[in-house]
Amino acid sequence: MVVRRVSVFHELRWQLTETVKETKSQGADVTFGLLFGWHAQDETICLACCTPDGFHYLPFSMSECIGSFCCAASSVTDENEVFQICEKVLMQNQVEESSQAVLLGVWLDSSNHTKIVCQSHSHWFGGNANYLEINFSESDTVLKDCIIVRAKGTFPLIFEFSETKEALTCSITAVVEKIISTFKTHKASFHLSKSLYLMEELAAVDKRTLSSISHMIEKEYGIVNGQDKMKKHSLIEKRPLSFNITIQATGQESLSDNSIYTPTIHFQRRCYKAVTVPLPVDVIAVLKQEMTLSEVKNTLEDKACDQLLLFKDCLQSFIEKTKIPVPAAYHVWPNTLSFPVTVVYPGNKEDTELVSYREKLHRALLLQLDRPQLRRQNSHRFSALENEISYLRNTHVGLWIPEDGHTQLVRGTYTYHHYMQDHMDDDGWGCAYRSLQTVVSWFRFQGYIDKPVPTHKEIQQALVEVGDKPSSFVGSRKWIGSQEVSICLNQLIGVTSKIMFVSSGAELANKGRELLEHFKIQGTPVMIGGGVLAHTILGINFNEVTGDIKFLILDPHYTGNENLSTIQNKGWCGWKGPEFWEKNSFYNLCLPQCPHEI
């Protein structure tokens, strides 16, 4: 047989490696689940993984399940045992048999190093175990040719209210299954524009692909400077192709149920309470551009059914006597994944009440358990909403990265705050305030808080409340430093910080390892103040051999418009050497610490 190459994304490799460590730290033996991806002509591409009950949240359908994995915490685990577990996972989840299915074994060897081995499903090869060649690749090499497709529609869930939870659960199940049957019997259609309806009878004969309807995408979103906005190199830069879900009331598919040919009346005379809950279905799928419209429709139907099942579980889990929660879907894009996922939360619960619920989601999607990644506040703003944001985000993206030495960057999203924004003239005194605002925005975007970024007055008021400043400080034009920034982070958003003191700018060149470790472990922006100036450090490049160091600086002293090109080309966000710092000034660095929570 031909030995296939299996391409595993670096993000997926990191995720599986962390899963092994987490499995060991929890005292468990193994963690297992399903692999999702695609089969190309000469290779199998692994995009995502999750536990068996986690695939409903992924933007991939079960038809894209290409194998299974097993993460073993023991260093003496036999390889055959690991692959046997993988085979059981495939069979228990009724994954379609395919000679291309792969089994991925991950475990710690005797030196505590992660070992990854891939094998074909031996049962499907007549008992022959075939080890496959593993290639680790960048996600953008594959996903740059993909499109995010989104479909939205609201369905009324009408059921009889009962005082007993068991009866209520049965009523909800019956009604949700009826809505699901609408998609399974192809009575739903997906509307993109005036000229495109994905209907069963039309999609089956329409041989066009997603890439072939690019002109419709242009019509949907317009063209800027003669270039299609959809033609981006990275998946995260692309606008989703948005459909509206409609239900066919006429046509062949609406008549598929023979029982409606004969009018039937069911009459039952009694009084009961009826409840109507709107189910706002909002699904996304990551699809290859060469997929046919029929395949697109089938995938959207599958994902709609998946989400309706999540709605049902949410309703049944969070009903409280007479309180019926309205579930809602949220699309989030964890920074450890190369694609977005969708989670469902009840409308009658705050994030603080859903910690155990989120922990289950984190485990299902194999996400870290020490930081929020799936909160409502983590909801991803697709690029179609960019014009709603008045501040530039992640201004360092697109800058060159030094090739010499090791580089660690801020991890996640932040907004750039600088002089003269918000109709506030703080030129000459507000740089530390602006740096603090950038740091707070990071915690907001990462889902740790849902509070807005504080104003200058709110920052000053916080310092007065803790007794650090007199009441006359509020409304003044007095500057603050790293210590005050640390106090405000604790007072305003409950974040603690480490303070690093250096006696001169020249001494900063000796802090490479410490700062590198900060960005590796914490990943938060660092506020630095010295003399009367403050800046934000977004990353470090450090060469352990030569001792050379570079700082990725975000400068809050900028007073211009939100022009990314100007900000990057003029050095307001860019790499600086040690000479950037004043040799004769002392500096304090505020290193915010991430709370361990989800």
Side-chain angles (χ1 to χ4, degrees), residues 260-371:
I260 69 173
Y261 291 157
T262 303
T264 302
I265 298 177
H266 176 79
F267 177 76
Q268 188 178 34
R269 188 171 185 176
R270 64 188 179 91
C271 295
Y272 66 91
K273 294 180 180 180
V275 178
T276 301
V277 177
L279 296 184
V281 173
D282 183 356
V283 299
I284 55 174
V286 175
L287 305 178
K288 295 178 290 185
Q289 293 191 35
E290 61 265 26
M291 287 185 70
T292 65
L293 297 186
S294 179
E295 292 172 326
V296 172
K297 182 178 185 294
N298 291 338
T299 300
L300 291 177
E301 289 172 341
D302 290 344
K303 297 313 299 177
C305 292
D306 286 344
Q307 191 167 109
L308 285 166
L309 289 175
L310 294 178
F311 282 158
K312 182 194 72 172
D313 292 342
C314 181
L315 283 165
Q316 294 175 346
S317 298
F318 294 100
I319 286 179
E320 297 177 354
K321 295 182 180 179
T322 59
K323 295 181 179 180
I324 309 296
V326 178
Y330 298 86
H331 306 305
V332 296
W333 201 316
N335 53 38
T336 55
L337 300 181
S338 52
F339 49 83
V341 297
T342 304
V343 295
V344 169
Y345 290 124
N348 64 340
K349 295 290 183 180
E350 299 294 332
D351 279 344
T352 53
E353 302 176 89
L354 297 171
V355 175
S356 60
Y357 183 69
R358 286 199 302 275
E359 182 178 345
K360 293 179 181 179
L361 296 179
H362 275 247
R363 294 188 184 278
L365 294 170
L366 305 181
L367 298 175
Q368 293 170 285
L369 298 174
D370 62 348
R371 63 192 61 194

Side-chain angles (χ1 to χ4, degrees), residues 514-535:
E514 294 178 57
L515 291 173
L516 206 63
E517 189 70 8
H518 167 81
F519 284 104
K520 180 180 179 181
I521 303 300
Q522 303 297 332
T524 63
V526 172
M527 181 272 175
I528 178 172
V532 294
L533 298 178
H535 295 85

Side-chain angles (χ1 to χ4, degrees), residues 402-443:
E403 297 180 357
D404 296 334
H406 187 51
T407 300
Q408 288 287 346
L409 303 176
V410 62
R411 186 170 56 245
T413 302
Y414 61 88
T415 47
Y416 180 26
H417 295 263
H418 56 80
Y419 280 168
M420 307 300 288
Q421 284 179 329
D422 315 309
H423 308 288
M424 177 72 174
D425 183 2
D426 57 347
D427 192 353
W429 61 274
C431 51
Y433 293 83
R434 297 300 187 177
S435 182
L436 172 58
Q437 289 177 331
T438 293
V439 173
V440 172
S441 76
W442 185 94
F443 282 94

Side-chain angles (χ1 to χ4, degrees), residues 16-35:
L16 292 171
T17 301
E18 291 299 308
T19 299
V20 171
K21 297 177 182 178
E22 179 65 25
T23 302
K24 184 176 182 179
S25 67
Q26 295 294 322
D29 293 326
V30 295
T31 298
F32 53 81
L34 301 171
L35 290 172

Side-chain angles (χ1 to χ4, degrees), residues 377-378 381 389 391-395 410-418 421 433-454 459 489 492-493 495 523-525 536 538 554 592:
Q377 188 60 33
N378 292 116
R381 289 179 177 267
I389 303 172
Y391 305 101
L392 290 175
R393 291 189 297 169
N394 288 15
T395 49
V410 62
R411 186 170 56 245
T413 302
Y414 61 88
T415 47
Y416 180 26
H417 295 263
H418 56 80
Q421 284 179 329
Y433 293 83
R434 297 300 187 177
S435 182
L436 172 58
Q437 289 177 331
T438 293
V439 173
V440 172
S441 76
W442 185 94
F443 282 94
R444 177 176 169 81
F445 272 103
Q446 269 49 250
Y448 286 99
I449 61 171
D450 58 5
K451 298 179 180 179
V453 172
I459 293 170
L489 287 174
L492 293 172
I493 63 174
V495 169
T524 63
T536 307
L538 300 177
L554 184 65

